Amino acid sequence: MKRHIAITTGIVALSIALVSGCSQPQTGNPAPVSSGAASAAPRVSNPLDPSAYVSRPCDLVPSQVVSQLGFSDPTPTDADSPFGPGCGWIDVSGAKPKNLSVGLQILRGQRNGGLSAVYRTRDGGGYAYADPTEVSGYPAVFADTQDRRAQGKCSVYVGIADDLTFSAGVDGYSGQQDSCDAAEQVAAAVIKTLQGGS
């Protein structure tokens, strides 16, 4: 039993690291852009405050959404984690494990710079893909350092303030559409939570 818990905790920590660790604060000058000027990130017209969830990031995703996606017991990371506060779920009941993770890009108490940081990483060649989108009226980007969407892994960063994003990611799904739809569903649920919904 202890071995299963250790393995599960390790997988969840890795999932959160892969999703929330990609948009760490940038220091110094941004990397040069290979073609043209860096594009500006969209502004966030209705900022959301996630401070109530820094110490309880698993509550960002309502339990009914977690259940609908086939997950149950969460494993949190705390605000002192080098990846920021986040939460992960794993489902090992199927032929291959499925993972779900969310993270607030607040690293050691500092906000990550919002979608501008994601765009700088993209423009500097730090992402294998970065596709702008919108989730529940908030600007967002599907992005990751490796493009494994066809293998069922998808991550999205959502701007909830001009200087802050949260991330939602899944792995172990059947393909790009399935995985990115699930990531977007989780992200929409997080926004609803931050807006005071249930």
Side-chain angles (χ1 to χ4, degrees):
M1 181 65 177
K2 288 182 179 178
R3 176 175 171 80
H4 174 71
I5 293 172
I7 291 172
T8 300
T9 302
I11 291 172
V12 167
L14 178 60
S15 297
I16 293 171
L18 291 174
V19 173
S20 63
C22 297
S23 291
Q24 297 186 8
Q26 304 291 317
T27 58
N29 296 322
V33 182
S34 57
S35 59
S39 50
R43 300 294 300 270
V44 177
S45 57
N46 296 298
L48 298 171
D49 180 9
S51 57
Y53 295 91
V54 169
S55 62
R56 50 188 185 98
C58 296
D59 292 343
L60 284 166
V61 187
S63 58
Q64 62 267 29
V65 175
V66 172
S67 298
Q68 287 169 5
L69 291 170
F71 298 94
S72 56
D73 299 329
T75 300
T77 60
D78 59 35
D80 294 326
S81 164
F83 305 110
C87 194
W89 294 258
I90 184 169
D91 173 17
V92 293
S93 63
K96 66 176 182 176
K98 292 172 70 175
N99 296 286
L100 161 65
S101 59
V102 295
L104 293 169
Q105 277 72 67
I106 303 175
L107 308 177
R108 298 181 181 90
Q110 300 296 315
R111 294 186 172 203
N112 73 320
L115 282 180
S116 292
V118 176
Y119 275 49
R120 284 196 301 270
T121 301
R122 180 200 67 179
D123 293 340
Y127 289 128
Y129 69 93
D131 299 335
T133 186
E134 189 176 272
V135 178
S136 300
Y138 284 80
V141 179
F142 286 108
D144 208 338
T145 55
Q146 293 183 327
D147 191 351
R148 293 183 52 224
R149 289 173 292 180
Q151 289 76 48
K153 181 178 187 296
C154 188
S155 303
V156 63
Y157 294 89
V158 183
I160 52 174
D162 287 338
D163 62 349
L164 180 63
T165 60
F166 75 84
S167 56
V170 299
D171 195 3
Y173 281 72
S174 62
Q176 177 171 333
Q177 188 72 44
D178 188 31
S179 61
C180 291
D181 283 352
E184 186 171 357
Q185 179 182 350
V186 172
V190 171
I191 289 173
K192 187 175 180 180
T193 296
L194 293 175
Q195 290 173 328
S198 56

